[in-house]
Amino acid sequence: MFSHPIIQGPLVWDGSIEASPELFTLTLEKEDQVEIDTALEVFKSYGLDGGDVSADNFPLPGLKKRLEKVKEELHNGVGFYAIRGIDQSKYSVEDSVVIYLGLARHIGDRFGLQDRDGNILCHVTDSKAWSVPAELRHGIHSNKSLPFHNDMGCDILGLQVRQSASNGGSTYLASAATIFNDLVKTKPDVVETLLSQTWPIQVSGQKANYILAPLMKIFEGKLLTSVDPGRLGPYPSADSKPSEVPSLTESQQAALDALMESAKKHEVRVSLNAGDLFFINNWAVLHRRDSYHDDDDTSRHLVRLWLRNSQMGWAVPEEMQMPWKAAYGRKEEDGVYAILPMPEYKVPRYTAGSAAFMIEDSDDE
């Protein structure tokens, strides 16, 4: 009989946490907004590009203590945090991005590269300018619902809300620790399957096209979770090339279904509005979204950032390091800061359900 100890601590929460927003919300006051505006002017006085922003050249002496609390909660607390109160209508797109990056630099000192082109910023949107049918795009570039997943390889997931949808598009979170405890009590055999290093995970551009890794791993006292259903097992190829990725076994499919069922049972809904910044400990918290609809005047648009705090970041086990090294192993100076979505959508060779893990999209070396 399999046996694992129940996880204790602030990372164990369920939907009832929604009633305690003070645990995960920093609401900016008027003086905070003045300080942010001053920091923006200080940074601009140096004549630097947005990618050069740092905690030193975007100084926030008054906010510093509360941003330290954000870091603490992300790494050792509830695992997610919202910063609210930024009046986005006051700023140009360029200034808005600098503010986002400036605040993010006070939470993490490293930005991860999100694709082979070195993009630091990823635009999660269904742009009206794109003519490519939604079914040929990655899931984040459509208005479809996305299942619970982690952004494989990311430490801290950052989101800036530029615009909300006309309706729908709600974000939901689930604690991996709560899911783990639930399954330990009810389906311990499923826990063993999730911990097993036998899951075929798609890796476009690799000769074998996949790696074998666990979906959950207890490492140095932390439970790390890395799962994207759209990257498990065979995937459809835009050119119909046969996939070398093995199919999930019956026990793996049952374990994945159980994980998703538990996540839905314990989820919390988070309301995100224009101007909000949202940060998630990507190893500890799964997220999903509802489908949404944009009208003529709206276009749901989130700007995604992958962060790491070199001192506080969780240690990553070798089995989970491949996508993590792809994000943080390359020089940040090679990064590209595209402040707007691509004008024309490039159809990826490989399509998957949620596109949380986009290391390579071709077989080019």
Side-chain angles (χ1 to χ4, degrees), residues 48-61:
L48 301 172
D49 293 328
D52 297 318
V53 68
S54 69
D56 291 330
N57 60 34
F58 196 90
L60 297 169

Side-chain angles (χ1 to χ4, degrees), residues 18 77 87 132 208 264 305:
E18 187 174 355
D87 182 1
V132 173
K264 290 288 289 288
L305 184 67

Side-chain angles (χ1 to χ4, degrees), residues 343-356:
E344 296 182 9
Y345 194 86
K346 180 182 178 182
V347 178
R349 179 168 184 176
Y350 300 107
T351 58
S354 58

Side-chain angles (χ1 to χ4, degrees), residues 186-313:
T186 60
K187 299 179 179 180
D189 56 325
V190 161
V191 175
E192 292 304 310
T193 302
L194 294 171
L195 293 170
S196 173
Q197 190 179 342
T198 59
W199 290 82
I201 298 174
Q202 306 156 18
V203 184
S204 304
Q206 301 298 309
K207 291 180 180 179
N209 286 334
Y210 70 96
I211 59 172
L212 295 176
L215 300 191
M216 286 184 163
K217 176 78 174 181
I218 299 174
F219 187 68
E220 296 193 4
K222 308 283 189 182
L223 172 68
L224 289 87
T225 302
S226 183
V227 54
D228 178 1
R231 287 282 174 178
L232 301 177
Y235 49 81
S237 173
D239 61 2
S240 300
K241 179 182 177 181
S243 172
E244 299 179 28
V245 182
S247 298
L248 298 185
T249 65
E250 287 187 15
S251 61
Q252 286 176 331
Q253 188 60 58
L256 182 62
D257 291 343
L259 185 152
M260 294 297 160
E261 181 181 349
S262 182
K264 290 288 289 288
K265 182 168 65 174
H266 299 292
E267 70 184 12
V268 58
R269 179 179 176 273
V270 179
S271 297
L272 297 177
N273 301 305
D276 288 351
L277 304 183
F278 195 55
F279 299 94
I280 303 170
N281 183 329
N282 185 63
W283 295 111
V285 178
L286 287 77
H287 60 284
R288 75 170 182 91
R289 77 155 189 235
D290 285 337
S291 62
Y292 64 91
H293 173 74
D294 286 324
D295 58 26
D296 292 340
D297 299 319
T298 63
S299 183
R300 185 182 187 271
H301 188 170
L302 278 62
V303 185
R304 189 175 74 180
L305 184 67
W306 288 350
L307 293 168
R308 176 170 175 79
N309 186 296
S310 298
Q311 292 185 326
M312 302 180 71

Side-chain angles (χ1 to χ4, degrees), residues 4-20:
H4 291 282
I6 295 298
I7 296 173
Q8 307 286 343
L11 273 173
V12 181
W13 46 260
D14 58 20
S16 62
I17 198 174
E18 187 174 355
S20 304

Side-chain angles (χ1 to χ4, degrees), residues 22-42:
E22 70 279 1
L23 295 177
F24 55 85
T25 307
L26 168 57
T27 302
L28 299 174
E29 305 294 341
K30 184 176 180 180
E31 58 268 27
D32 301 322
Q33 298 178 51
V34 170
E35 183 172 81
I36 289 172
D37 288 344
T38 301
L40 176 64
E41 293 307 314
V42 168

